[in-house]
Structure formats: C-alpha cells, structure tokens
Amino acid sequence: MTRHLLDITDLSCPELLEVLDAAVDPAPDPVLEGRGAALLFNKPSARTRHATEMAVVALGGHPIYVGPEEVGIDERETAEDVARTMSAYHHLIGARVHEHAVLDRMALAGSVPVVNLLSDRSHPLQAIADLLTVRSELGGFQGRTVAWVGDFSNVARSLAHAAALVGMGIAIASPDGYGPSQADVDEIGALGAAPVEAGTDPVAAVTGAHVVVTDAWYSMGQEDEKAERMPIFTPYRVDAALMSHAADDAIFLHCLPAHRGDEVTDEVLDGPRSRVWVEAANRLPAARGAIAWLVSQGSP
C-alpha cells in the first residue's frame, strides 16, 4: 500500500522515530536513484523548496519544480488529473497548496507517495525538523515541554501533534479566538502529550518550558489582516522578559520567515537561546528522512 505524509499523524510514534533516525543517517540509501520527484508549489517557498529539492538529490533522484503557472491545480487541470499525470513520470509528488483537501484528493487519485510541503491545515516536514532540533539540542524528548505562543496555526498544529507523539508536554497560549478548539486539545492529548495545557496567558505557557516556539502573526494570504491582528497579538511577542520564565536550558524556535519586532524581538531571534538557524538547516534532513522512509514502504 502506498503511504503518504499529509499530516504528521499519518505516522505512528514508532514510525516518526524511524523517520527521525533516517533523517540523521550519514549514508542514506539512494532510494530515488534514476527516478523523478514532482514538486508542485502553489505558494512561494524558500526553505521548503531548497530543502526538498536537495533531499531528492541526496537520495539519488531528480527533482522537478513545478510552479503554479505551469500546472494550475483545479484551474488548468483538476488535482486528480495532475496527480495521475505526475504519477506516470515520477516516484514521488510533493505539493505546497492552499487547501489541505487538495492533498487528500491527489493522494487518492495518484499511485505514488504524496508529501505535504505545506497546507492550510499542517506542515509535517517543519514539525520533523523541529523534533530533530529538540533532540539534537536537548538530548531527547522525555520530560520536556514545548510552549507555543501565538496563533494556533497549521505549523502549531503539526508541532503539537509531533510533540505529543513523542511524549512531550505541550502548553499553548493564544488570544481569544485564535487558540486550539477543545477538539484540538483532546486530539493532542489522545496522541500521548504529557500533559496538554491551553489558555491565553503567555507567561503561564512559557514558565518552565524547554522549547519556546512562535510564528508570524500574519502569514501568506493574511496580509490584509495585519492592522487587525497587531494589537491583538502584541501581548504575545516573544522577548527577553518572556523567555526569562522558561527553563534554564530552554531554546527558541521559529519556522521563519520572521517579522522581526513583531512576534519576536531581535534580542531573542539572534540571542544565545535561539536555534532557528539549526532548525532551518534541519529542514533538509527532515525532508530526506521523510522521503526515504515513505519510498521504502513499498511504493511502485
């Protein structure tokens, strides 16, 4: 059966650990040797495009970048027809889309693994890179807590799910109306988080946390909401005062790009606790490990 990675929860805890181990394999098998990978981007990308293309190369494959003007998913052709066509040429499809449902449709119609390179629901490769960073910087996951500060976004959801799968504690602080639903909290808890806390107080969330994470207050497609969001999210800025409540060995993460001075200050982003550049570098092994694992599951 062809496996896909559309959400981090497509992996069990043992499988996620296998992916993490594959990511740090110094001599990965060239599982894509002589094969292509179609990388479809409906949204702009820096880290994801470069990391995924180089991951395919590292696995012996040939990446082909496909921009929105070349295929036009659901404009020039349906998502299903794109998936069927790309499956005829390639051994893997990666797609960065606006609506997560597009990925679901492509996975059902195609015959090769589909990897989510970002959707409005989740960003699994970023979550894998975050776990790689936590493990390398803090030595492991047990007894560690992740604090998310700000909008419970697609990136937040994937990180919370990934952290829960490996048994980390999770604390979330968001403004009213921007946090996880009770269903989200229940789902995170059911995945194994120990424990899950969600509220509106950033100090309470960060206190004692070993990993402090945030993201842009407005991302691609939300620029027209900037004026509305700024006063709501200003109390959730990660600055030195907020970081002082975290554990002594706490690290700071951000998926980037960062709006310096908005969700995080320069003092934190460039400070001694910041691991954002390690995190960014880990996007490459994260993609390599995930792709290697998926292909090894017996896809055609």
Side-chain angles (χ1 to χ4, degrees):
M1 181 181 70
T2 301
R3 294 290 299 271
H4 306 285
L5 182 57
L6 309 186
D7 284 298
I8 200 69
T9 50
D10 289 333
L11 303 172
S12 66
C13 175
E15 289 172 339
L16 177 55
L17 294 175
E18 288 177 12
V19 169
L20 295 176
D21 289 341
V24 296
D25 186 345
D29 292 336
V31 294
L32 288 177
E33 186 171 8
R35 295 163 169 169
L39 306 178
L40 314 178
F41 285 80
N42 273 7
K43 301 178 74 174
S45 173
R47 281 152 292 278
T48 300
R49 177 181 176 180
H50 287 270
T52 310
E53 287 195 17
M54 293 309 298
V56 171
V57 170
L59 297 172
H62 182 77
I64 296 183
Y65 170 85
V66 184
E69 70 284 351
E70 297 174 79
V71 171
I73 298 175
D74 285 337
E75 294 178 0
R76 186 169 178 265
E77 290 187 88
T78 66
E80 290 82 358
D81 287 352
V82 170
R84 294 183 185 106
T85 300
M86 295 301 160
S87 294
Y89 308 137
H90 297 282
H91 206 64
L92 178 93
I93 298 171
R96 187 177 179 95
V97 299
H98 294 279
E99 297 179 358
H100 190 87
V102 170
L103 296 170
D104 292 326
R105 292 163 54 202
M106 293 180 74
L108 286 172
S111 57
V112 301
V114 176
V115 180
N116 180 0
L117 304 183
L118 182 139
S119 71
D120 60 349
R121 172 178 169 79
S122 60
H123 199 353
L125 294 186
Q126 179 65 55
I128 294 169
D130 292 347
L131 290 189
L132 285 173
T133 307
V134 171
R135 189 169 71 170
S136 66
E137 295 296 316
L138 299 180
F141 307 120
Q142 295 305 309
R144 301 293 191 176
T145 297
V146 175
W148 178 274
V149 181
D151 193 0
F152 189 71
S153 62
N154 50 356
V155 175
R157 180 176 292 105
S158 288
L159 176 57
H161 288 172
L165 282 169
V166 298
M168 297 182 73
I170 298 162
I172 302 165
S174 308
D176 281 329
Y178 294 91
S181 66
Q182 187 58 51
D184 287 320
V185 173
D186 292 343
E187 182 179 17
I188 295 165
L191 290 172
V196 177
E197 298 177 0
T200 59
D201 185 349
V203 172
V206 168
T207 297
H210 304 93
V211 186
V212 179
V213 196
T214 192
D215 195 2
W217 295 340
Y218 53 94
S219 56
M220 288 178 288
Q222 297 177 326
E223 289 81 5
D224 58 343
E225 299 179 29
K226 178 180 178 179
E228 175 187 350
R229 283 174 169 253
M230 288 292 286
I232 296 172
F233 281 91
T234 295
Y236 294 84
R237 178 177 294 123
V238 179
D239 55 17
L242 185 60
M243 285 296 296
S244 70
H245 296 280
D248 291 341
D249 61 346
I251 61 174
F252 172 77
L253 301 180
H254 189 305
C255 66
L256 301 178
H259 296 138
R260 290 171 175 265
D262 287 353
E263 72 271 11
V264 60
T265 62
D266 288 350
E267 184 180 14
V268 172
L269 191 66
D270 299 323
R273 294 190 175 202
S274 176
R275 298 295 184 275
V276 297
W277 309 116
V278 175
E279 179 188 14
N282 277 333
R283 292 295 304 281
L284 173 51
R288 186 179 64 230
I291 292 170
W293 188 88
L294 280 176
V295 173
S296 72
Q297 299 307 298
S299 59

